């Protein structure tokens, strides 16, 4: 909300030397956020001048200019020669002259310059050049504005261009502050300055008369609330829409962020900003019969003021006459009855509309407006009568109209529910020891009625505060009025047992461990194509069910992902296209795994504003497919860059397996690797990852065709694991092993066995046979060649033995090693290599 300070001063005592920063500081103390300060971007000298003479001079380019002699006053140099291209003035007219040294909005500095054979010693300004509207067809003649000021008068102050506005951010629950009335009241709360309510008028003078009472025919209220509870009309006849809007009003509207659109529309906007009550003016002569407020019928259409034909929804609330819809209630009027240059008689409308109805209509039609912004937050139901009369008075004063006894009013009883506020509640909630007088004083200050009750107080909030609905919101008001600075800054003591769950801690450990290992986390959108889901979401590339979005962000990727790999491929492609070729990426995220034959989704969306039943929540949960959290890794390029005396080391399966071990260590599990096959991976370079015999993921090199399809040069290695399953198998905790202080005994063993026996199974057999003394085992060589028969291979393992309570002897280590060899021999026919 932008608030011109000259306007604010009309309703609250503002110190003469108060700066915009002072006003903003005061508003911050009562809970508003400061946004900006707005000024007219011009500086003087800009003065009133009188045209002494002008000579029309045709030019060779077909244009005719006026060589003018303009009196700007003795203090400003007397008569000056000025070239002007406009022709809407004559000798004797008083105009606005910008003298050399002035700066107009743009910025556009003014200087004496030679043009059309003359030295133009200044410029005669138009309204648009001064920032007073969009009119640029001619220069600004002061007589047209009803101004007759002495020559040489400072035009900046004369036209209100020296005003300044402060802008505050208004939260959705405080719609009353979208008005000068509301902001002035809050400034009064902040400073104690005297507040003068512009809506404080005798109700007797606000009666609108008869002859134009609207009918509300709402057969389908939203949530049981009738669309229009009040509807006030007043008639002003014989207006002159050609009359100029007063400069001070244009200046205030401009600073408030609105353009001047003619005196009649300017007045309705001015009153809306002043009182917070949106108004609409109809050309009375264009109305066909009486006004009816109703819901739209199926298939109904209307054209709004912006010239757009809109297909209406049955929830839309309409203003209609006998010709059909003439306005979207509370949002925008229709084009058939709008006020124009030919309007002579005006019907002013001020109403109270249902906030939910207006909010839904504005969003449905993507048509936010200044009116809907206020109606959807709730306007003061006591203001429509005041606003209608205020607009009528201004049309009489500035548009030459005549206020008639015609009009009408749909009355509604204004009922505000009282709130019980127990004694001690505010102090207990806020943590400040407020006295009873401070509590009741704060509530009275904001306009509430406070009376004693057995338990404390009964509070009736003011009509302009629909956000005050319970004792908690009242307590917040007490804290706000007395200053949030009184609330102590004390961190609460967290109750025991709170914080991250073991599962959440495990996910965080995995992400931290991968980042510490040099991988970069790259979250991506969970949307992909059906083809990518089939390729990466299944082992054999078969078609699996997927969740298709009804309204996808990208029509080419309408499915929810079954795998994280497509997102990593897109990220890698984007980075490689920008010259970053050595990549170690990872992502943790949710994948969506619908089960075959199960229909997901539901059309039974519960209504807003009420808590769904347990049965409804259970049905909604059943309509959601299983969602597992996975972790995936992608490596491409080099892990060690080329450097002097050292060749580059490309990333491959070993680095991906290292990443799997990092994840396993952070999850508290041991991951086993076995040969496998997947459609998207290179045959023979694919591994299945398991924990305790349970398959949890896969690792491998991308198939060359898949890598080429993703525009990845060279090789790319990927890894994907079901993180939820791994953490569940690990028990949710990763316990660090104790460190023995005794030395290790190391031995190697080479076994000859069939070439088709997986090395991983041999390793497991050795570990099983060696028993508890074996601390680590690692495959160091796979030899096939001279000295080894055809169809066989030699596997060499490095073994490390250690005891927790003693130093092992070489004999103990050898005994454990041979026990492992015995198991491998029994299972696979392995023999020791000579």
């Amino acid at each position: 909300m932008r608030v011109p300070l000259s306007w604010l001063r009309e309703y609250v005592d503002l110190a003469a030397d108060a700066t915009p920063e002072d006003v903003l500081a005061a508003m911050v103390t009562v809970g508003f956020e400061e946004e900006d300060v707005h000024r007219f971007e011009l500086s003087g000298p800009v003065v009133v001048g009188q045209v002494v003479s002008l000579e029309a001079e045709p030019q060779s380019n077909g244009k005719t200019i006026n060589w003018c002699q303009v009196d700007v006053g003795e203090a400003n140099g007397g008569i000056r020669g000025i070239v002007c291209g406009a022709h809407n003035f004559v000798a004797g007219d008083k105009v606005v002259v910008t003298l050399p040294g002035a700066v107009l909005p743009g910025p556009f500095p003014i200087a004496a310059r030679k043009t059309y054979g003359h030295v133009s010693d200044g410029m005669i300004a138009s309204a648009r050049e001064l920032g007073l509207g969009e009119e640029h067809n001619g220069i600004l003649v002061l007589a047209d504005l009803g101004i007759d000021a002495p020559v040489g008068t400072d035009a900046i102050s004369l036209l209100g261009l020296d005003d300044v506005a402060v802008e505050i951010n208004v939260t959705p629950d405080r719609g009353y502050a979208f008005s000068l009335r509301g902001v002035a009241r809050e400034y009064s709360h902040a400073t104690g300055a005297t507040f003068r309510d512009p809506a404080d008028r005798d109700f007797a003078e606000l009666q609108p008369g008869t002859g134009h009472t609207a009918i509300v025919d709402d057969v389908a209220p939203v949530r049981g609330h009738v669309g229009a509870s009040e509807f006030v009309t007043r008639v002003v006849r014989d207006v002159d829409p050609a009359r100029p809007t007063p400069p001070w009003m244009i200046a205030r509207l401009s600073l408030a962020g609105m353009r001047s659109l003619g005196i009649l529309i300017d007045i309705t906007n001015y009153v809306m900003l002043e009182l917070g009550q949106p108004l609409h003016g109809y050309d009375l002569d264009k109305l066909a019969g009486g006004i009816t407020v109703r819901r739209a019928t199926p298939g109904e259409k209307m054209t709004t003021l912006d010239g757009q034909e809109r297909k209406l929804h049955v929830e839309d609330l309409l203003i209609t006459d006998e010709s059909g819809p003439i306005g979207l209630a509370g949002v925008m009027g229709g084009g058939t009855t709008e006020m124009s240059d030919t309007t002579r008689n005006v019907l002013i409308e001020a109403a109270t509309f249902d906030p939910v109805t207006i909010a839904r209509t504005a969003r449905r039609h993507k048509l936010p407006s200044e009116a809907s912004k206020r109606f959807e937050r709730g306007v003061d139901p006591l203001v429509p009568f005041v606003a209608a009369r205020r607009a009528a008075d201004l049309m009489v004063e500035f548009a030459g109209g005549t206020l008639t006894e015609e009009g009408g009013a749909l009355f509604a009883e204004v009922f505000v529910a009282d709130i019980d506020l127990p004694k001690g509640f505010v102090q207990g909630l806020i943590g400040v020891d407020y006295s009873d007088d401070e509590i009741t004083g704060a509530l009275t200050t904001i306009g509430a009625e406070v009376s004693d009750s057995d338990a404390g107080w009964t509070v009736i909030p003011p009509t302009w505060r629909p956000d005050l609905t319970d004792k908690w919101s009242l307590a917040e008001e007490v804290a706000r009025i007395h200053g949030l600075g009184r609330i102590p800054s004390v961190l609460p003591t967290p109750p025991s047992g709170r914080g991250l769950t073991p599962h959440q801690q495990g996910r965080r450990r995995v992400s931290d461990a991968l980042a510490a290992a040099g991988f970069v986390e790259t979250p991506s959108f969970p949307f992909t194509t059906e083809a990518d889901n089939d390729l990466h979401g299944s082992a054999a590339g078969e078609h699996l069910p997927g969740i298709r979005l009804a309204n996808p962000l990208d029509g080419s990727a309408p499915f929810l992902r079954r795998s994280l790999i497509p997102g990593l491929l897109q990220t890698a492609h984007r980075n490689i296209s920008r010259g970053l070729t050595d990549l170690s990426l990872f992502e943790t995220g949710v994948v969506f795994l619908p089960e075959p034959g199960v229909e997901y989704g539901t059309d039974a969306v519960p209504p807003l504003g009420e808590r769904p039943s347990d049965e409804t929540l259970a049905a909604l949960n059943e309509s959601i497919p299983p969602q597992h959290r996975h972790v995936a890794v992608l490596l491409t390029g080099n892990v060690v860059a080329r450097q002097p005396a050292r060749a580059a080391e490309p990333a491959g399966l070993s680095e991906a397996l290292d990443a799997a071990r990092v994840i396993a260590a952070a999850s508290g599990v041991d991951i086993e690797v076995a040969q496998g096959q997947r459609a998207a991976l290179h045959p023979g370079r694919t591994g299945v990852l398991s924990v305790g015999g349970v398959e949890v993921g896969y690792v491998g090199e991308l198939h060359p065709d898949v890598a080429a399809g993703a525009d990845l040069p060279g090789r790319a290695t990927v890894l994907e694991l079901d993180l939820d399953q791994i953490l569940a198998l690990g028990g949710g905790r990763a316990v660090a092993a104790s460190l023995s202080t005794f030395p290790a005994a190391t031995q190697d063993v080479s076994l000859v066995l069939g070439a088709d026996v997986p090395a991983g199974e041999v390793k497991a057999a050795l570990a099983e046979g060696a028993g508890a003394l074996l601390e680590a085992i690692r495959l160091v060589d796979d030899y096939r060649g001279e000295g080894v028969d055809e169809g066989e291979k030699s596997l060499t393992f490095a073994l490390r033995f250690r005891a927790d309570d003693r130093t092992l002897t070489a004999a103990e280590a050898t005994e454990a090693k041979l026990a492992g060899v015995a198991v491998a021999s029994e299972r696979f026919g392995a023999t020791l290599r000579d």
Side-chain angles (χ1 to χ4, degrees), residues 88 94-96 124-127 130 132 138-142 145 159:
N88 64 318
K94 289 185 177 179
V95 294
V96 176
I124 305 175
S126 68
L130 294 170
L132 269 177
I139 59 96
L140 183 64
V141 178
L142 293 178
L145 302 179
L159 299 175

Side-chain angles (χ1 to χ4, degrees), residues 705-759:
D705 292 342
V706 176
D711 293 327
L712 299 184
R715 296 180 176 181
T717 308
V718 296
L719 157 72
E720 185 165 16
L721 294 166
D722 188 331
L723 185 56
D724 286 340
Q725 190 176 28
I726 290 176
L727 292 174
L729 292 170
R733 294 181 178 276
V735 180
S738 59
L739 298 178
S740 174
T741 59
F742 295 95
T746 59
Q747 294 196 15
D748 291 343
V749 61
S750 295
L751 299 176
V752 178
L753 67 170
D756 58 343
V757 178

